[in-house]
Amino acid sequence: MASTTFLTLPSGRRMPQLGLGTWLTPDSLAPEAIKAAVDCGYRHIDCAYFYGNEGALGEGIEKVLKEGRVKREDLFIVSKLWNSFHAPEDVKPACLETLRLLRLDYLDLYLMHSPMGIKNVKGDLLPQKDGKVLLSDVDYVDTWKAMEKLVDEGLVKGIGVANFNKCQLERLLSVARIKPDVLQVERHIHQTQRELIACTKSLKMTLTGYSPLTSPKRPFPPGKLDPNNGMEDPVVKEIAKKHGKTPPQIMIRFNIQAGIATIPKSENPAHIKANSEVFDFCLTDDEVKKLESLHCGARAVAWDIVGMGDHKHYPFKPQES
């Protein structure tokens, strides 16, 4: 069974520490992935409109609810507002479409997928001209104010952000009427996010780490910040052998033991089950230090493709706010 451990959010609600990631899960396998996850104890499901599979995930969620495998109130469903819908007037329609696709009346958590707005072109989530995405200058603070209204209307229980840097997060907190519950960022052995973890803890926020396995199957062209496949790292393999665990389990435990949530992705029922078996052992302090020493600033998801790195709110520049 997956963990029954929870993290308490600033709103007072509790979020399961381990969740199922769904990026790149094919429609044909999504319903079975949801069933497999629920059956072995997952209650936190991480989705996003941009992933293009919310309809199939919704089919799976509806089925496990109808079959009585889990109650809706025991699930923690997360989705994300895509960059195309940052204009305040686009926020509610985008949320309603996600709710329709997921076949839900509300979301437990709705994240702004990134601080970078792009043009809203119907039917095109990455509209481009001459190979460059069409950027928007909508301020993420204005987007946030529209997201706060979703909480007021009961469409979402809580809101948060993803892929923000420390300066952007602090700026948002300085003006937010409803404080963000969660910051979701990439976090693994090659990108340990020490500063952001410390920052969110000081703000009593929760951090969720995505790509805990370093996303070796990411569909992007090779980039200068690409991490090596963590599952092949000799340090990870050595620690796994010592504990009688697999390299993925070591990397998931690395995030869990840091006191953050994490959302390993798989559509394979056996892998989904194995990824949940990380609560019957602990890494030693020395092992954690060895894993932390593998940090090199790598990013599996650098958000710099098709000109996104030119956005004025591109988050991975220290001076950006």
Side-chain angles (χ1 to χ4, degrees), residues 90-110:
D90 292 335
V91 170
K92 183 176 178 180
C95 180
L96 290 172
E97 177 61 7
T98 275
L99 289 172
R100 183 189 72 80
L101 289 168
L102 291 175
R103 309 183 191 192
L104 298 173
D105 295 324
Y106 68 90
L107 293 171
D108 296 277
L109 181 66
Y110 198 37

Side-chain angles (χ1 to χ4, degrees), residues 53-72:
N53 56 9
E54 286 193 323
L57 293 169
E59 178 186 334
I61 292 168
E62 182 179 61
K63 187 174 182 180
V64 296
L65 291 172
K66 283 185 174 179
E67 292 176 349
R69 294 176 183 274
V70 67
K71 296 179 181 178
R72 173 64 186 97

Side-chain angles (χ1 to χ4, degrees), residues 36-86:
V38 167
D39 283 353
C40 66
Y42 288 75
R43 295 297 180 262
H44 174 174
I45 311 294
D46 184 83
C47 315
Y49 183 75
F50 182 70
Y51 300 167
N53 56 9
E54 286 193 323
L57 293 169
E59 178 186 334
I61 292 168
E62 182 179 61
K63 187 174 182 180
V64 296
L65 291 172
K66 283 185 174 179
E67 292 176 349
R69 294 176 183 274
V70 67
K71 296 179 181 178
R72 173 64 186 97
E73 58 267 30
D74 293 330
L75 290 176
F76 194 96
I77 308 295
V78 183
S79 188
K80 306 178 192 74
L81 176 77
W82 179 239
N83 303 1
S84 304
F85 311 120
H86 276 209

Side-chain angles (χ1 to χ4, degrees), residues 65-307:
L65 291 172
K66 283 185 174 179
E67 292 176 349
R69 294 176 183 274
V70 67
K71 296 179 181 178
R72 173 64 186 97
E73 58 267 30
D74 293 330
L75 290 176
F76 194 96
I77 308 295
V78 183
S79 188
K80 306 178 192 74
L81 176 77
W82 179 239
N83 303 1
S84 304
F85 311 120
H86 276 209
E89 64 271 18
D90 292 335
V91 170
K92 183 176 178 180
C95 180
L96 290 172
E97 177 61 7
T98 275
L99 289 172
R100 183 189 72 80
L101 289 168
L102 291 175
R103 309 183 191 192
L104 298 173
D105 295 324
Y106 68 90
L107 293 171
D108 296 277
L109 181 66
Y110 198 37
L111 304 177
M112 196 185 313
H113 208 144
S114 92
M116 301 176 287
I118 63 177
K119 297 291 185 183
N120 184 356
V121 176
K122 188 175 182 179
D124 193 347
L125 295 182
L126 276 175
Q128 299 172 39
K129 182 179 180 181
D130 300 327
K132 299 287 187 180
V133 73
L134 299 177
L135 304 178
S136 154
D137 61 358
V138 177
D139 191 331
Y140 55 82
V141 167
D142 295 326
T143 307
W144 183 259
K145 291 177 180 177
M147 292 177 69
E148 291 175 326
K149 294 178 182 178
L150 301 176
V151 181
D152 297 338
E153 295 180 33
L155 296 174
V156 304
K157 300 290 187 181
I159 48 179
V161 295
N163 302 298
F164 272 49
N165 64 32
K166 182 174 181 285
C167 292
Q168 290 167 334
L169 186 61
E170 290 173 341
R171 176 175 177 245
L172 183 64
L173 281 163
S174 72
V175 297
R177 174 172 61 88
I178 298 175
K179 304 300 184 185
D181 271 334
V182 168
L183 169 66
Q184 185 180 120
V185 292
E186 179 176 343
R187 203 271 177 171
H188 47 70
I189 57 173
H190 299 312
Q191 177 57 258
T192 57
Q193 302 285 12
R194 180 175 295 182
E195 183 182 31
L196 278 177
I197 289 176
C199 174
T200 52
K201 285 184 177 179
S202 72
L203 296 169
K204 294 182 170 55
M205 287 176 59
T206 296
L207 189 139
T208 297
Y210 67 77
S211 296
L213 307 182
T214 65
S215 291
K217 296 182 180 179
R218 56 192 176 277
F220 307 128
K224 61 183 179 180
L225 293 177
D226 287 354
N228 293 325
N229 184 346
M231 290 178 280
E232 298 297 329
D233 189 280
V235 173
V236 175
K237 286 183 171 183
E238 178 189 359
I239 295 172
K241 183 178 180 180
K242 175 185 172 184
H243 287 277
K245 292 291 184 177
T246 65
Q249 289 168 332
I250 295 301
M251 290 192 288
I252 294 166
R253 181 68 202 180
F254 177 65
N255 276 6
I256 293 290
Q257 209 160 307
I260 67 173
T262 198
I263 46 173
K265 174 265 174 186
S266 181
E267 66 270 0
N268 180 309
H271 292 170
I272 289 170
K273 183 176 185 295
N275 289 346
S276 74
E277 295 170 345
V278 294
F279 296 94
D280 57 352
F281 75 104
C282 287
L283 301 169
T284 67
D285 290 345
D286 184 58
E287 289 167 343
V288 169
K289 288 177 182 177
K290 285 182 178 180
L291 292 170
E292 288 176 338
S293 75
L294 301 175
H295 171 83
C296 59
R299 292 186 186 276
V301 187
W303 286 87
D304 58 354
I305 61 171
V306 293

